[in-house]
């Protein structure tokens, strides 16, 4: 019970950290997105290795990693997918589109449900079916009025769901997987920064020290919630994680509307409301399942 509570606390804290990430990027309003992504990848490797050392977790040998070709390929695909998702997220929060980022994370569970049906042959419950239909209606309402798809939100939501699907095929532990994702991409990121530096076109390398440190700091501030999440996942249930994941887009939504002053008009209000209604139905269904299992367990214990 104590471990379960600790897991819930760690999971909630990880989603809070993810939710307030836009605050950090307000210090880099004119950041070069390509270089920001490169710095995040490069410095993720030492940050993860230090973290694994501090947590005294065993890191598998390179022979062990190489021997599991299936996981290595899946990790490489996951790394590429995460790059796209993270690029879209970083662009959104550095271009006054935090509301779009929030929408992306709100619709992510619905993309995950759809992928589960397509690839894992999972069956939709009535609440999940309704949620998917309501999400499609919410997006369609925006398209009808604005005349364009919310591309950033759709890219973020779909690619993060694809990332989650890839993780199901990786047999490495969570921390090793994240470290390997960065290590696989690091040579490309280093080559890109070398070209930028030699050509004299690098924004980060030609900036003052405080700005350069903010570029470097993008690695630990984005990895911190991931590390807390990895520590939480073995201590709590996936149901609780699913319920708490809405902390992140909710905080981003509140920051966008009340702190950053982004426009939340009637069209977005109706679109978001349709999506929120679908998520509410899924949440109530999940809570009903939790209480039903607890009731059955209590009955079996008392017999």
């Amino acid at each position: 019970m104590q471990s379960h509570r600790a897991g819930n606390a760690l999971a909630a804290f990880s989603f809070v950290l993810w939710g307030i990430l836009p605050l950090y990027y307000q210090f880099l309003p004119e950041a070069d997105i390509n270089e920001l992504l490169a710095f995040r990848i490069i410095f993720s490797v030492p940050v993860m290795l230090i973290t694994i050392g501090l947590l005294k977790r065993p890191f598998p040998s390179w022979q062990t990693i190489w021997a599991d070709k299936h996981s290595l390929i899946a990790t490489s695909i996951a790394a590429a997918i995460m790059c796209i998702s993270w690029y879209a997220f970083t662009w959104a929060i550095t271009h006054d589109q935090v509301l779009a980022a929030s929408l992306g994370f709100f619709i992510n569970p619905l993309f995950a449900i759809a992928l589960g049906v397509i690839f894992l042959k999972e069956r939709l419950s009535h609440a999940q079916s309704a949620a998917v239909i309501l999400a499609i209606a919410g997006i369609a309402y925006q398209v009808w009025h604005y005349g364009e798809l919310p591309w950033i939100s759709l890219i973020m939501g779909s690619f993060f769901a694809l990332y989650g699907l890839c993780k199901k095929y990786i047999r490495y532990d969570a921390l090793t997987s994240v470290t390997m994702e960065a290590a696989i991409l690091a040579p490309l990121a280093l080559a890109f920064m070398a070209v930028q530096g030699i050509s004299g076109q690098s924004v980060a390398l030609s900036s003052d020290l405080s700005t350069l440190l903010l570029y470097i700091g993008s690695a630990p501030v984005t990895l911190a919630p991931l590390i807390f999440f990895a520590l939480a996942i073995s201590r709590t249930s996936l149901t609780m994680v699913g319920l708490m994941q809405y902390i992140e887009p909710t905080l981003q939504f509140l920051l966008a509307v009340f702190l950053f002053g982004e426009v939340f008009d009637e069209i977005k209000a109706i679109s978001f409301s349709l999506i929120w209604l679908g998520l509410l139905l899924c949440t109530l269904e999940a809570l009903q399942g939790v209480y039903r299992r607890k009731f059955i367990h209590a009955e079996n214990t008392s017999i």
Side-chain angles (χ1 to χ4, degrees), residues 200-262:
Q201 296 179 348
S202 173
V203 175
L205 296 177
S206 61
S207 300
D208 55 77
L209 180 60
S210 61
T211 302
L212 179 61
L213 289 174
L214 284 170
Y215 272 86
I216 295 172
S218 65
V221 299
T222 54
L223 287 172
L226 202 58
I227 292 165
F228 281 110
F229 180 78
L231 294 173
I233 203 70
S234 61
R235 294 175 171 86
T236 188
S237 67
L238 288 177
T239 302
M240 287 305 298
V241 169
L243 294 174
M244 286 190 287
Q245 69 179 322
Y246 302 123
I247 294 173
E248 175 190 358
T250 300
L251 287 174
Q252 290 173 357
F253 173 84
L254 294 173
L255 287 174
V257 175
F258 296 107
L259 185 62
F260 303 145
E262 292 188 23

Side-chain angles (χ1 to χ4, degrees), residues 19-139:
I20 62 174
L21 260 181
L23 293 173
Y24 181 85
Y25 288 95
Q26 294 304 302
F27 295 103
L28 287 166
E30 298 179 2
D32 184 293
I33 306 300
N34 296 315
E35 291 188 20
L36 198 54
L37 182 62
F39 268 84
R40 182 191 180 272
I41 293 169
I42 293 166
F43 286 94
S44 288
V45 178
V47 169
M48 287 305 302
L49 291 175
I50 291 169
T51 301
I52 291 171
L54 291 173
L55 293 174
K56 297 181 180 178
R57 297 288 183 89
F59 191 81
S61 65
W62 292 111
Q63 289 83 358
T64 303
I65 292 172
W66 185 253
D68 191 350
K69 298 288 197 306
H70 182 275
S71 293
L72 189 60
I73 292 170
T75 302
S76 302
I77 296 171
I81 290 171
M82 176 51 80
C83 246
I84 297 170
S85 178
W86 191 253
Y87 189 94
F89 174 66
T90 308
W91 186 92
I93 61 179
T94 54
H95 287 77
D96 300 322
Q97 295 290 321
V98 178
L99 207 54
S102 171
L103 178 61
F105 285 117
F106 272 125
I107 62 177
N108 164 250
L110 304 174
F111 274 110
I113 289 170
L115 291 175
V117 172
I118 296 168
F119 293 99
L120 305 178
K121 307 304 178 185
E122 296 176 355
R123 297 186 66 179
L124 288 180
S125 66
H126 293 306
Q128 289 172 335
S129 299
V132 171
I133 293 170
L134 286 167
I136 293 171
I139 299 298

